[in-house]
Amino acid sequence: MKRFLPIIIFLILIPIAMYAGYNRTAKNPDPNHTHADFAVWINGTKLDFSQKKYMQDIPTDEEEQMLEHSTGTGSGPDYFKRYMHLHDGNGDVLHRHKPGLGFGDFLTSLHFTLTPTCLTTDTGEKTCDTADKKWQLFVNGKEIVPFNDNYIFDDGNTILLTYGADSAEVQREESLMTHDACRYSQTCPGRGKAPTESCISDPTVPCKQ
């Protein structure tokens, strides 16, 4: 039995080492370019952000020139879309190119409006708190209380914004969250590389490839 002990230990250590390698973390090489997985649900239905209208396309030459000469601050959709956006057909991972901006700012970039009690979509559909149904915000599975309509998220967070969900529905929605932000931030190399991005940002906060 003793002579087989090293073999047994070796066979036990192999899956442990593989698991550790798969889940090891690395440092994001570009702290200005961070990502988060997100989802928005209303009454048990997930909003589809993979539609082309929500994507940030490669800018035209004219748009590129406008960005190059654009400085200062703002608060409208066009301003925030320079720094926070979706692209490459992925409607589950948001990209932020400027630290300090929140989830509400991201929704603004998509022509949504989030307040502490209501969400208005880009088509004008408004959903507000009632006596029976409320908006809730969960980050990494933990509810943010009190509700924060512009939560400043960290790189790699999972953000669930949901309306009218009981605990069982919240659990279901959490189970369907994607976990791909770390791949775009290059912080979970064991999971492989994310698709090559179209790196778009304001020239004052450039992307690092």
Side-chain angles (χ1 to χ4, degrees), residues 28-33 97 184 186 197 199 201 205-209:
N28 184 341
D30 185 358
N32 287 330
H33 188 189
H97 293 272
Y184 284 95
Q186 302 179 50
E197 313 182 34
C199 190
S201 70
V205 190
C207 298
K208 295 180 181 178
Q209 297 287 10

Side-chain angles (χ1 to χ4, degrees), residues 1-84:
M1 182 64 183
K2 288 184 178 180
R3 65 177 181 176
F4 291 111
L5 188 59
I7 297 176
I8 295 173
I9 294 175
F10 179 73
L11 292 175
I12 292 173
L13 290 177
I14 287 178
I16 293 176
M18 291 178 64
Y19 179 83
Y22 179 85
N23 290 277
R24 73 187 187 276
T25 58
K27 185 178 180 180
N28 184 341
D30 185 358
N32 287 330
H33 188 189
T34 54
H35 306 85
D37 292 274
F38 79 100
V40 180
W41 291 74
I42 299 178
N43 292 321
T45 299
K46 183 182 178 182
L47 301 191
D48 180 11
F49 289 99
S50 66
Q51 302 174 63
K52 182 174 175 57
K53 65 177 180 176
Y54 297 128
M55 295 294 123
Q56 170 73 295
D57 295 325
I58 299 294
T60 63
D61 291 340
E62 182 179 352
E63 290 171 333
E64 193 71 56
Q65 291 177 8
M66 289 175 63
L67 283 176
E68 289 177 0
H69 295 90
S70 178
T71 58
T73 61
S75 58
D78 291 339
Y79 171 78
F80 286 122
K81 197 166 187 177
R82 292 186 300 170
Y83 300 107
M84 305 180 75

